[in-house]
Amino acid sequence: MATVADPEVATRDEPADPTGTSKRTDIQGLRAIAVALVVVYHLAPTTLTGGFVGVDVFFVVSGFLITSHLLLRRPSRPRHLLEFWGRRIRRLLPASLLVLLLTLVATRLVAPVTQWDVTARQSAAAATYWVNWLLASDSVDYLAAAAAPSPVQHFWSLSVEEQFYLGWPVLVLLLGQLAVITRVAGSLPRLRLLVLAGLGLVVALSLAWSVHLTDTDPARAYFVTTTRIWELGLGGLVAGFVVLREPPGRRLPPPVAAGAAWLGVAAIVTSGVAYSGATPFPGWQALVPVGGTALVLGAAAGTQIWSPGRILALPPLQWLGDISYSVYLWHWPLIVLVPAVSGDHLGALDKTAIVVATLVLAALTKRYVEDAFRTPAWSRRLARTYVLGAAAMAVVLAASALLVVNLHAREDAARRALARAQHSDDPCFGAGALVASRQCPPSQGDPVPAPVLAALDRSAAYQGSAGHRDCFASVPAYRTVRCVFGDRTAERTVVLVGNSHAGQWVPALHRIGRQQHWRVVTYLSSQCAMSDVRQQFETSEQATACLDWVHRVTAQVSAARPDLVVLANRVSLTAEGVDDLAHSAAPYEQGYEQVLRTWADQRLPVVVLRDTPAPGDGDVASVPDCLASNGDDFAACSGPRVDWVPVDPTVAAVAALDSPAVRLVDLNDHICGPAVCQAVVGGVVVYFDGSHLTATYNRTLSPFLEPHLVAAMDRRP
């Protein structure tokens, strides 16, 4: 998901021509186009699939205006840097911190409690301008990446810009000092060469890193500053050529300038229409919108009749460009939070209301907040700027902390309720309620774990508890990770293999292992299914790493010769070269059959657990979020079994193999009823997201799983 922060401006956000005094209306027009791209993309992503390039347009404009300002008023001592940063504080912090604070309040009032933690964490990171790194870290976490977006995650781009504003002036200052040391300051051509060479080196290094990381780790590459600096830096290079060119004020011939500007606008629009979420980004693909923006800025075509500047100078675009920063700040929290009031999905009326509210709030924020802190009186009070900026940040941090404290109090109460329920010896608790002979009543009252805790109710393989580190191999390298559960000193060993849908069985297997005196060893991965088939990851390197992990683990399990192998998987990626999951079933089946045959030939007993139902395959993206939003209306978070139970290629693979060493175990009748899969069964929340079983519910499945494992181990071929 792409978002946009407002670009820096020279003095009072009036984008002037660095070569003269005329206002650059084309820059305001570019801002309007950029923010329109982003807003339309967020409201209708299938209509404008590449609207996320709006952020790249803003980055280039930011770099252009910042560098123009720095080159015209080059900092030569620390005081100049403090003054520059003070202007940025006055320009950006009042509006952004106000929106963060009000978003935290709105989250507390209307958002489901399950979203409080991520909103509080990201708000604190956004207030201190490092939320892009937090999002980069979460993006490579399979479970975190699948979570619902927070209403403040759009601040990632503002964090990138603030980090640019922090380091770029220092670079310009150092280049100026280098010019003095090398005695080139008095020679404009040599000074220009030195400055542009220094800026160009940073741009080249960042672009190279962006291409590399986008190819190898695209989820992280999208957010980190190091892959984005070149976009702002390219705008800086354009500014360097404009400001430092000889003779001063020289322009391109009007026809050439107009042609370049039209080409630039075409590049921006084309990328907005043609790009999509499948486009590797940023990488070299970002050169199209970035280069297009640089062309418009460098051309400075003006408003001649043959120039796109006439269109960019239209009053509606100028007005939208003027308020673009506040439009950006307000639109995303409204998109995320309005459904908490109006319903799960945004309809046409909701989207229209969001656009109107965004424009009204943006106009008010521009006039009464942004402009209020850019007066001459504020400009003369540098110390006051820093003190009040820090105080405002502290207010947002305190509000984030209060939300977390409130959340933790609810979680503690939920843990106490869960502990009481687990020690009740109720035969209808959890999966036991689906045993027909017990005639258990429907679930009523407060479920356990409560929704606020259900999202955290994962096995120790995720949590790293009881001395365990993260037990999942993950992108980009898929290094082998091995963890031990159950009775660690036992002689008999059960190996659990697969992706996160194997990891969800750790609570049940740990309990069974302690009771049966089995040592449970896990070889788990995030997303990578244990099938000998190339899976369609974001990069070829990740696909290769996954397949290598499958081969490596298959061999290691064979070499270890455990007493029992348990295999479970969810297929969430298409097979390489196949368009959809339905047509991927056959390649996955063949890949599973190959793995299972390897173990069967070694005479290892194998139990294949049929994949469990997934609410996300229906229309419930997150069961805890749904329950938190719908109170005791559990039926609103349930769905037809036919929609939730996925097609599992392991079923066909086991049948095709037809080996006495390999048997299929299907426990889905202990998770769903004959026709409906409930979100709450026997008073227990079944899922901690839209796919994975809670640890609590999984433990209640252990009495139904244990006989199958015992039988498989006792009948070892």
Side-chain angles (χ1 to χ4, degrees):
M1 181 200 71
T3 51
V4 57
D6 184 57
E8 175 55 287
V9 293
T11 53
R12 294 189 56 198
D13 244 21
E14 295 294 328
D17 185 345
T19 65
T21 59
S22 61
K23 181 178 178 179
R24 288 289 299 267
T25 54
D26 57 340
I27 292 179
Q28 292 299 77
L30 283 173
R31 287 173 163 171
I33 291 174
V35 79
L37 285 171
V38 172
V39 172
V40 173
Y41 171 69
H42 284 158
L43 284 171
T46 59
T47 300
L48 189 66
T49 58
F52 55 83
V53 301
V55 68
D56 307 276
V57 174
F58 272 98
F59 281 161
V60 181
V61 173
S62 294
F64 176 81
L65 291 171
I66 273 289
T67 309
S68 298
H69 177 72
L70 290 170
L71 293 178
L72 289 169
R73 299 168 56 185
R74 285 195 299 274
S76 59
R77 50 197 176 97
R79 170 75 184 187
H80 295 161
L81 295 179
L82 293 175
E83 290 172 347
F84 171 84
W85 291 326
R87 287 191 293 272
R88 303 286 55 75
I89 291 172
R90 292 189 296 272
R91 170 67 184 94
L92 298 174
L93 262 65
S96 66
L97 294 179
L98 172 66
V99 172
L100 280 174
L101 182 61
L102 293 180
T103 300
L104 283 166
V105 173
T107 297
R108 174 61 180 81
L109 294 176
V110 304
V113 66
T114 49
Q115 294 181 9
W116 291 6
D117 180 67
V118 66
T119 301
R121 288 191 304 111
Q122 291 185 11
S123 294
T128 48
Y129 295 103
W130 63 277
V131 70
N132 64 309
W133 293 99
L134 176 62
L135 289 169
S137 176
D138 288 346
S139 70
V140 296
D141 181 340
Y142 173 54
L143 298 179
S150 86
V152 299
Q153 71 179 41
H154 61 316
F155 274 74
W156 76 268
S157 56
L158 184 56
S159 295
V160 170
E161 292 204 11
E162 284 297 318
Q163 292 161 34
F164 172 79
Y165 299 155
L166 186 64
W168 201 250
V170 177
L171 175 61
V172 173
L173 183 148
L174 293 176
L175 289 173
Q177 293 300 313
L178 182 60
V180 172
I181 295 172
T182 57
R183 298 181 180 179
V184 302
S187 170
L188 184 57
R190 293 169 66 187
L191 174 60
R192 176 178 60 190
L193 180 62
L194 177 63
V195 171
L196 295 183
L199 301 184
L201 178 61
V202 174
V203 169
L205 292 174
S206 175
L207 176 57
W209 178 247
S210 180
V211 171
H212 168 73
L213 199 62
T214 301
D215 286 342
T216 58
D217 195 359
R220 187 185 297 275
Y222 193 86
F223 294 108
V224 296
T225 307
T226 49
T227 62
R228 296 287 188 166
I229 286 295
W230 73 270
E231 301 183 29
L232 296 109
L234 186 61
L237 282 179
V238 173
F241 282 108
V242 171
V243 172
L244 301 177
R245 63 191 170 192
E246 296 182 37
R250 187 179 69 177
R251 295 176 179 272
L252 295 173
V256 176
W262 276 117
L263 181 60
V265 171
I268 295 170
V269 173
T270 299
S271 58
V273 173
Y275 284 5
S276 70
T279 304
F281 210 83
W284 66 264
Q285 290 83 354
L287 282 167
V288 178
V290 168
T293 308
L295 278 175
V296 176
L297 294 172
T303 57
Q304 295 91 344
I305 192 170
W306 54 78
S307 167
R310 287 182 70 88
I311 299 174
L312 296 175
L314 290 173
L317 290 181
Q318 293 297 295
W319 178 76
L320 183 58
D322 285 341
I323 65 171
S324 58
Y325 178 42
S326 290
V327 167
Y328 150 71
L329 289 175
W330 284 111
H331 85 283
W332 184 249
L334 290 172
I335 289 174
V336 173
L337 293 175
V338 163
V341 179
S342 66
D344 290 337
H345 303 288
L346 290 175
L349 183 61
D350 296 320
K351 294 179 180 180
T352 301
I354 287 172
V355 171
V356 172
T358 296
L359 294 176
V360 171
L361 289 170
L364 293 173
T365 304
K366 173 67 166 60
R367 179 173 180 180
Y368 295 107
V369 180
E370 292 185 56
D371 293 345
F373 288 91
R374 296 203 304 275
T375 63
W378 273 97
S379 300
R380 291 192 295 266
R381 299 174 179 177
L382 188 59
R384 184 181 180 185
T385 294
Y386 280 93
V387 170
L388 291 182
M393 282 184 174
V395 170
V396 175
L397 294 176
S400 300
L402 284 174
L403 189 60
V404 171
V405 168
N406 194 332
L407 177 68
H408 286 174
R410 296 188 177 210
E411 290 176 353
D412 289 343
R415 288 188 179 92
R416 291 192 292 271
L418 176 60
R420 289 192 297 270
Q422 288 175 325
H423 290 88
S424 65
D425 295 326
D426 181 359
C428 292
F429 183 69
L434 293 176
V435 177
S437 62
R438 296 180 184 177
Q439 299 182 337
C440 298
S443 297
Q444 296 178 353
D446 296 330
V448 294
V452 66
L453 189 60
L456 304 175
D457 191 29
R458 308 170 185 176
S459 77
Y462 291 111
Q463 299 167 341
S465 60
H468 291 294
R469 62 190 187 281
D470 183 3
C471 295
F472 287 85
S474 59
V475 293
Y478 276 107
R479 296 182 176 87
T480 306
V481 181
R482 179 176 174 273
C483 290
V484 181
F485 298 90
D487 185 347
R488 298 187 183 187
T489 63
E491 294 183 0
R492 307 184 84 180
T493 299
V494 175
V495 169
L496 174 66
V497 182
N499 57 22
S500 60
H501 271 218
Q504 69 181 351
W505 288 100
V506 167
L509 285 170
H510 177 68
R511 172 173 287 184
I512 295 169
R514 297 292 293 270
Q515 294 171 346
Q516 292 288 338
H517 300 291
W518 296 342
R519 186 167 170 261
V520 179
V521 179
T522 65
Y523 293 89
L524 304 174
S525 73
S526 291
Q527 205 165 24
C528 176
M530 189 67 191
S531 175
D532 193 358
V533 60
R534 283 187 66 86
Q535 299 164 46
Q536 187 63 60
F537 282 83
E538 291 185 298
T539 70
S540 177
E541 290 82 0
Q542 292 178 3
T544 298
C546 168
L547 189 57
D548 288 345
W549 179 84
V550 171
H551 293 160
R552 195 165 58 246
V553 170
T554 301
Q556 290 181 9
V557 171
S558 296
R561 301 201 58 78
D563 297 281
L564 178 65
V565 180
V566 178
L567 176 72
N569 284 284
R570 170 174 170 80
V571 175
S572 60
L573 299 171
T574 62
E576 200 168 77
V578 180
D579 293 335
D580 54 47
L581 287 176
H583 291 92
S584 297
Y588 270 103
E589 176 190 336
Q590 295 171 7
Y592 283 129
E593 187 178 343
Q594 179 63 38
V595 172
L596 294 173
R597 178 175 288 107
T598 300
W599 291 334
D601 290 345
Q602 297 288 326
R603 301 181 63 80
L604 297 178
V606 181
V607 166
V608 176
L609 298 179
R610 194 196 193 288
D611 195 14
T612 52
D617 291 344
D619 58 0
V620 182
S622 168
V623 167
D625 286 354
C626 182
L627 292 172
S629 299
N630 289 279
D632 57 1
D633 183 11
F634 301 158
C637 306
S638 302
R641 177 168 175 159
V642 67
D643 292 340
W644 284 25
V645 175
V647 174
D648 186 357
T650 60
V651 176
V654 172
L657 187 62
D658 191 24
S659 168
V662 181
R663 63 198 68 202
L664 180 73
V665 174
D666 185 348
L667 296 181
N668 285 342
D669 285 344
H670 299 285
I671 300 173
C672 293
V676 176
C677 292
Q678 301 286 344
V680 178
V681 173
V684 178
V685 177
V686 181
Y687 301 91
F688 69 71
D689 57 7
S691 171
H692 302 84
L693 302 175
T694 60
T696 299
Y697 193 83
N698 189 260
R699 290 188 192 96
T700 69
L701 288 167
S702 60
F704 308 102
L705 174 61
E706 185 173 1
H708 294 286
L709 302 185
V710 171
M713 188 175 290
D714 289 345
R715 297 173 188 172
R716 178 169 184 165

